[in-house]
Each structure stands twice: as C-alpha cells, then as structure tokens.
Amino acid sequence: MRELGLGEEVERRDLGRIQIMGFDTNAPHDHTDSPPHMHMHLRWPRNAGTQIGHYYIGADGLLSHNLVGIKAMRAPQRRFGRGEAFTTIGADGAPVYTHRITAEGWLDLGRAGQPPCLIRPAGADGFAGGATVACPGRPARRIVVTDDLARGLLTVDTNAVRETFRYDPDTGRLLSPTEVPAPAPSVFTGEG
C-alpha cells in the first residue's frame, strides 16, 4: 500500500480511508472470529459503506481465499478463491485497487488497471516468517519476522529497519507498547 501510494490517493480523492487489521489470532481488539485471517478495508466517508476484504490463511501459512463483505449496503458476501481478482470501488464509483490471491497463495495488490505488486512468502513456511514485496520498477522489500516464544519477543525487519514487540508468551497479550491503540471507528465519517 505504501509503495503504491494508495492511502494518499484515497485521501486526495476523498474516497475514505484504507485500513489494514492484523492477524486475528491475538485479538488485541476482541476480534475473535476464526479461522485466522487479516483484513484490508476501504471505508467510504460519511458512513456511505465499507468494502472489507478478509484474507484467510491456510495451515500451510499461505492465503487460501478472500471473503469480501460490503457494510452498509444490501450486498451479500462473496468468496474469491485463488486466481480470482476483486476490485475495490471508491465512493465515486471508480475502481481504486485490485487484489488477487495467486495460484500459489501469494497476493497481487495494485492500483486498478495497473501492474500490481507481488507479495510472496520470504521463506518455505508460508507467510509465517515474513514476505517479499516486489512492485514494478522498484527494488523489492524483504520483511522478515522472528518470534522468540520463550522470551516473548517478536522482531520485524523491513530491509534495514528493525522493530521489536514484547508480548506475554502464555496469553499472546502485547506488552510493548503497554497499551494497544484504540481501533478506528467501524465506519469512517470524515468528520473531526
């Protein structure tokens, strides 16, 4: 999303906000549905609606499918399997970005109508160990995640940048930062 400038484009065009929610296995905001998955939402301004992509993770650590729901509209959820693309539409009716789980269980993500970035596992264990993000015309970024369960340390390396998170190994509760930021409202209103 950062490589493509999608968030900035959505803001500039007054289409709402793109939000990404982490894996639901630790449920820092009481989001406890299963199986494990992550979200990428386009929340339209002024409560007009939200298109919610749910990327489900298989036992192999790869993406299995995307279940797309549309909040505030009378549209049923739709399942997109490997190889099927879904294009998220802005509040103005124009396509914004397209996402597709590849046949391998990787993710193509790009501006609608343009070549996508490919997000693929960094290792042989699926996405559990990290990912490589390769966007057309840009150097690839490698994101590697190391989990020291005995010490409750999660280290995330993005090329030369390192972030360390501390958690309780028994509960998975995040200890550092000491308080998880409050979640954003479920629908962006564009006010305040």
Side-chain angles (χ1 to χ4, degrees):
M1 202 173 95
R2 286 183 184 161
E3 289 289 316
L4 298 170
L6 286 174
E8 292 87 350
E9 178 186 356
V10 165
E11 290 284 330
R12 187 179 62 255
R13 291 174 49 197
D14 192 31
L15 299 177
R17 297 254 167 88
I18 297 173
Q19 295 180 321
I20 299 173
M21 292 176 63
F23 296 99
D24 293 334
T25 53
N26 62 1
H29 298 299
D30 297 323
H31 193 89
T32 58
D33 60 336
S34 62
H37 63 282
M38 60 178 289
H39 304 113
M40 184 169 174
H41 306 339
L42 175 58
R43 297 188 185 279
W44 290 356
R46 296 167 288 286
N47 287 330
T50 302
Q51 294 173 57
I52 307 169
H54 297 75
Y55 301 97
Y56 286 88
I57 305 157
D60 57 1
L62 300 171
L63 300 175
S64 62
H65 66 282
N66 180 8
L67 186 62
V68 177
I70 302 176
K71 186 175 180 178
M73 293 182 199
R74 298 185 191 275
Q77 286 187 337
R78 181 162 170 217
R79 184 183 196 276
F80 292 84
R82 289 184 174 179
E84 296 179 283
F86 173 73
T87 299
T88 298
I89 305 297
D92 62 357
V96 180
Y97 58 89
T98 300
H99 30 121
R100 179 182 71 91
I101 298 172
T102 69
E104 300 85 4
W106 307 347
L107 181 66
D108 278 334
L109 174 66
R111 290 177 186 262
Q114 296 184 14
C117 296
L118 176 63
I119 304 168
R120 62 181 173 79
D125 59 347
F127 285 103
T132 298
V133 180
C135 296
R138 299 186 181 181
R141 291 184 186 258
R142 186 172 170 88
I143 302 165
V144 177
V145 179
T146 307
D147 187 0
D148 182 342
L149 183 60
R151 295 176 42 208
L153 291 175
L154 187 70
T155 304
V156 181
D157 291 305
T158 305
N159 289 347
V161 177
R162 173 167 281 181
E163 298 173 279
T164 302
F165 303 89
R166 290 170 175 46
Y167 65 93
D168 181 330
D170 295 324
T171 66
R173 182 174 164 257
L174 188 63
L175 302 174
S176 127
T178 55
E179 292 188 30
V180 177
S186 65
V187 176
F188 173 65
T189 63
E191 300 169 4

